[in-house]
Amino acid sequence: MCGIVGYIGHRQAYPIIIEGLKRLEYRGYDSAGIALYDGNSLNLSKTKGKVSDLEARSHAEMPIDGSIGIGHTRWATHGVPNDVNAHPHYSNSGNLVIIHNGIIENYDAIKKELINRGYTFQSDTDTEVLVNLIEEIQKQEGAKLGKAVQIALNQVVGAYAIAVFDKNKPNEIVIARLGSPLAVGVGENEFFIASDASPFIEYTKNAIYLEDEEMAIIRLGKEVKIRKIKDDSLVDPYVQELQMNLEQIEKSGYDHFMLKEIYEQPRAILDTFRGRLLSKEAIIKMAGVEDNMKKFLNADRIIIVACGTSWHAGLVAEYIFEDLARIPVEVEYASEFRYRNPVITENDVVIAISQSGETADTLAAIKLAKSKGAFVFGVCNVVGSSIARETDAGAYTHAGPEIGVASTKAFTTQITVLSLMALRLARAKGTISSSDFRRYLIELELIPNKVEKALQSDNYVKEISNIYKDSRNFLYLGRGFNFPVALEGALKLKEISYIHAEGYPAAEMKHGPIALIDEQMPVVVIATKKGHYEKVVSNIQEIKSRKGKIIGIVTEGDVHVKELADHVIEVPETEETFSPLLTTIPLQLLSYHIAVMLGKNVDQPRNLAKSVTVE
Ligand code: F6R
């Protein structure tokens, strides 16, 4: 994980780097650092803590002048988060500085070798080893910075996005990538370097995304030269026009990104529909599916690979695909799938779901599936991300940047894309009639308005949050399409409020978790009208007999659950298939309010990062 930012040009680098790091804090926020070159000296400041801590410290301890610099916000892998392990790292001579996102797996062997040659190390990081390896190569081979970086990278095993600066070559920054994202913003006689485009969006709309195993020398007054790290061959830079704007990556008056993103869902789902859901003509258009229709229709099964919230969206999709398109679906944690020698054939279609498009386990699962001949389809939010590029075809969710670490609009837009796919395939296979297809399309089109309505429960959810905020445990129950929503509700609560929560299929309760229920245990039960309603109501009765506190998520106008539950939160009625898009809304709000009331850092929960680019 980690976020990296660099600047070389005619402006003051400091504010660009600090502001850029703040935008990248979703990638890691346990320590931060900056190095600036002011024309004479290379100054560096770093600290444990957030970018705001770095801002305070750097002002006090270094001149913040200079139009070349690099900065880093860290999510620790090697070495605890402290001042010394924070990046940038100097080489022994003090001439080189480096920032790094990723892991150098063979750093220990290289470190021993360097120690034998007299090098000393301040930190416990793999990164400090890499910068000294580069320095040693410069010495041994008399190589220029770019060449030394290239030779060093051919010796290391692992993943990286790096930026290296040499104060003896102060008009250039050398960057490289393998497995961690890296973008270059191309301005008028200035360049920006960052883990994603958000740090430079107000300066330029032109960006080059480095591919894996590529490096570039970013030199003032010159074109960006990209080379393959392995064979030194030149690559033509492809300059993309960015679609993102500044407003999308700001809080726009909300207290937290998470709340903003919860409220963005009606718009985000509409954007997901755009150009795809044509209800008047009664068609769904998805180029990635259309172009590969045969693969989908001839597939023996669909295997969905994902992690975390995206995995939950995959579970919802399993219900939807099997119900509508009658295609067998298996949903796999990417992290398990990649290591368990799974049976995959050329007749399998693999769908990889990822908001960031950078999740290391999902990426590895994709590579494995491709190596076995499967066709791999990606459902990603971040345009141009590694997973979007690695898959054979795909569909973007178009949710817009998701900055809060807890995923919200990514989840609902993933379900939206997967619903559109399932409906399109169902129509092509003839597993639903044209009248049912039409009915589904009309209902799907109403979802953004219904999400808007579900959001109106916000104040009431806040009141409920206040009652239960001090509970130590929560249970979430759901059935059918809403079982994965129970899992997702529990995940949201634990990740941002640090309250223990479990999600279960409602009927599984009696096989164990029921033993946990007493008057201290709030149980959130999704009991919408069409989803095995009577059965779930029986489960609610079982909870009530054991004095559990019941928070029911029900369909508007419900009376039955109201009689049994301590609280009910209503969501509009819809097809059972699409109900997760509505029932998930109060669960997102519940976790949000509880976390805020407990004084937790909602957008940046402890130990987490938005983009999990390490195993
Ligand atoms: C939870 C959350 C994580 C991610 C998971 C996968 O709120 O955000 O569980 O869903 O790390 O990330 P992506 O979707 O980027 O592959």
Side-chain angles (χ1 to χ4, degrees):
M1 278 100 69
C2 308
I4 70 179
V5 183
Y7 177 78
I8 178 165
H10 46 82
R11 302 173 206 255
Q12 283 294 320
Y14 182 83
I16 295 170
I17 294 171
I18 291 289
E19 188 51 39
L21 290 177
K22 284 183 183 166
R23 291 182 195 165
L24 292 182
E25 272 192 316
Y26 73 86
R27 303 180 62 84
Y29 35 81
D30 60 42
S31 45
I34 186 166
L36 289 177
Y37 181 70
D38 66 6
N40 289 310
S41 56
L42 182 57
N43 301 305
L44 189 149
S45 175
K46 54 189 190 170
T47 182
K48 177 174 188 249
K50 296 193 173 287
V51 178
S52 53
D53 299 310
L54 171 68
E55 223 177 340
R57 184 159 177 171
S58 53
H59 269 107
E61 72 180 19
M62 70 183 254
I64 56 162
D65 198 32
S67 50
I68 302 178
I70 54 178
H72 187 270
T73 176
R74 180 168 186 246
W75 187 87
T77 55
H78 292 81
V80 294
N82 61 22
D83 294 358
V84 179
N85 287 335
H87 300 209
H89 289 284
Y90 277 123
S91 63
N92 271 197
S93 71
N95 289 336
L96 307 186
V97 272
I98 190 170
I99 47 174
H100 169 215
N101 166 28
I103 292 179
I104 305 300
E105 289 169 14
N106 59 339
Y107 82 103
D108 208 27
I110 300 171
K111 188 173 182 175
K112 282 188 186 125
E113 181 63 35
L114 289 171
I115 289 172
N116 285 340
R117 291 171 186 234
Y119 282 81
T120 55
F121 292 88
Q122 314 299 316
S123 75
D124 306 318
T125 64
D126 49 348
T127 307
E128 197 186 1
V129 175
L130 179 58
V131 72
N132 281 307
L133 176 63
I134 295 167
E135 179 155 293
E136 175 62 11
I137 292 166
Q138 278 187 317
K139 274 195 213 151
Q140 293 296 322
E141 319 230 350
K144 287 187 180 158
L145 180 64
K147 196 72 202 162
V149 168
Q150 186 177 22
I151 296 169
L153 293 179
N154 277 313
Q155 292 180 17
V156 303
V157 178
Y160 49 78
I162 55 165
V164 193
F165 175 77
D166 180 349
K167 80 172 181 199
N168 294 324
K169 290 280 284 175
N171 62 342
E172 65 182 37
I173 298 176
V174 176
I175 61 170
R177 115 161 229 181
L178 175 63
S180 301
L182 199 52
V184 180
V186 183
E188 285 285 318
N189 205 24
E190 61 181 344
F191 296 102
F192 306 80
I193 297 155
S195 300
D196 72 31
S198 61
F200 54 78
I201 192 68
E202 66 266 54
Y203 301 104
T204 178
K205 293 275 189 234
N206 297 323
I208 300 169
Y209 288 89
L210 241 58
E211 297 284 345
D212 271 349
E213 300 188 343
E214 286 180 357
M215 61 177 291
I217 298 176
I218 312 292
R219 192 172 289 152
L220 263 186
K222 295 269 165 60
E223 307 249 292
V224 175
K225 265 216 172 121
I226 302 178
R227 290 180 183 280
K228 289 275 178 205
I229 294 167
K230 276 215 177 98
D231 63 13
D232 203 38
S233 56
L234 270 175
V235 177
D236 263 348
Y238 168 59
V239 183
Q240 282 190 33
E241 198 183 324
L242 297 169
Q243 302 301 327
M244 199 193 287
N245 60 47
L246 193 57
E247 200 182 274
Q248 286 178 308
I249 55 168
E250 286 180 336
K251 283 192 204 145
S252 316
Y254 287 91
D255 287 344
H256 298 97
F257 281 112
M258 182 181 178
L259 189 62
K260 176 186 174 226
E261 287 156 9
I262 290 173
Y263 271 87
E264 275 175 351
Q265 289 175 107
R267 200 266 316 134
I269 295 172
L270 264 179
D271 286 347
T272 310
F273 287 160
R274 192 151 295 135
R276 293 168 169 162
L277 170 57
L278 310 173
S279 66
K280 274 198 199 114
E281 294 94 321
I283 49 173
I284 287 173
K285 269 196 194 166
M286 298 182 87
V289 176
E290 247 34 82
D291 296 348
N292 299 287
M293 190 55 93
K294 270 200 186 138
K295 298 244 187 244
F296 280 103
L297 297 184
N298 297 335
D300 289 341
R301 58 180 178 161
I302 290 175
I303 303 171
I304 295 179
V305 292
C307 300
T309 291
S310 297
W311 184 77
H312 295 155
L315 285 180
V316 175
E318 176 181 20
Y319 284 82
I320 302 178
F321 273 90
E322 293 200 341
D323 184 43
L324 297 178
R326 309 301 299 145
I327 305 173
V329 177
E330 285 166 29
V331 188
E332 302 264 6
Y333 282 118
S335 53
E336 287 297 310
F337 180 82
R338 62 179 289 196
Y339 283 123
R340 69 166 172 72
N341 195 13
V343 178
I344 315 165
T345 74
E346 287 169 8
N347 296 331
D348 290 324
V349 165
V350 171
I351 300 179
I353 309 173
S354 174
Q355 187 286 129
S356 62
E358 301 294 344
T359 302
D361 285 321
T362 310
L363 201 49
I366 292 166
K367 288 181 180 158
L368 175 67
K370 278 175 74 174
S371 73
K372 307 271 182 195
F375 168 74
V376 185
F377 190 92
V379 175
C380 293
N381 188 37
V382 177
V383 176
S385 55
S386 302
I387 291 177
R389 288 195 307 240
E390 187 66 34
T391 41
D392 297 309
Y396 284 116
T397 49
H398 298 306
E402 191 182 64
I403 293 166
V405 164
S407 202
T408 52
K409 62 176 179 172
F411 180 64
T412 44
T413 52
Q414 285 165 347
I415 295 173
T416 305
V417 163
L418 293 158
S419 301
L420 289 167
M421 285 175 71
L423 281 166
R424 178 65 193 96
L425 295 175
R427 199 61 210 112
K429 280 189 80 179
T431 48
I432 56 173
S433 65
S434 61
S435 61
D436 279 348
F437 181 70
R438 221 173 251 276
R439 185 167 53 77
Y440 278 116
L441 290 200
I442 291 168
E443 191 50 40
L444 198 52
E445 209 174 22
L446 295 175
I447 290 292
N449 277 337
K450 293 188 176 183
V451 172
E452 198 84 62
K453 234 173 151 203
L455 285 165
Q456 290 170 8
S457 66
D458 195 3
N459 282 336
Y460 181 49
V461 176
K462 200 169 173 181
E463 283 172 31
I464 299 175
S465 306
N466 196 33
I467 300 171
Y468 294 105
K469 65 180 190 306
D470 298 316
S471 303
R472 300 298 310 132
N473 300 287
F474 271 73
L475 199 56
Y476 285 72
L477 303 177
R479 233 183 144 154
F481 293 87
N482 280 298
F483 153 54
V485 177
L487 295 180
E488 174 60 7
L491 175 63
K492 285 289 87 90
L493 186 70
K494 60 189 150 195
E495 70 180 325
I496 58 169
S497 69
Y498 321 145
I499 294 173
H500 174 245
E502 299 243 20
Y504 263 94
E508 275 294 305
M509 183 180 64
K510 55 186 170 299
H511 299 288
I514 197 164
L516 294 169
I517 295 175
D518 61 15
E519 57 280 0
Q520 309 296 327
M521 175 66 98
V523 187
V524 181
V525 190
I526 305 160
T528 44
K529 275 271 172 56
K530 293 179 185 159
H532 314 283
Y533 182 69
E534 302 302 336
K535 310 253 180 230
V536 178
V537 169
S538 304
N539 296 136
I540 291 178
Q541 254 146 357
E542 288 157 11
I543 302 163
K544 198 170 169 66
S545 333
R546 283 148 188 95
K547 300 198 170 63
K549 300 283 180 264
I550 300 156
I551 303 165
I553 312 297
V554 299
T555 308
E556 242 167 22
D558 180 283
V559 281
H560 209 33
V561 177
K562 215 175 251 169
E563 284 168 11
L564 299 168
D566 296 271
H567 318 271
V568 290
I569 305 166
E570 294 189 340
V571 294
E573 185 160 0
T574 184
E575 286 291 338
E576 192 194 349
T577 323
F578 306 136
S579 61
L581 293 167
L582 305 181
T583 52
T584 198
I585 305 295
L587 304 192
Q588 295 170 345
L589 290 169
L590 185 71
S591 63
Y592 172 77
H593 287 302
I594 290 179
V596 171
M597 286 169 189
L598 294 178
K600 305 298 183 211
N601 188 338
V602 171
D603 283 334
Q604 295 171 351
R606 69 183 180 202
N607 304 338
L608 291 175
K610 185 78 187 154
S611 182
V612 186
T613 54
V614 295
E615 289 190 37

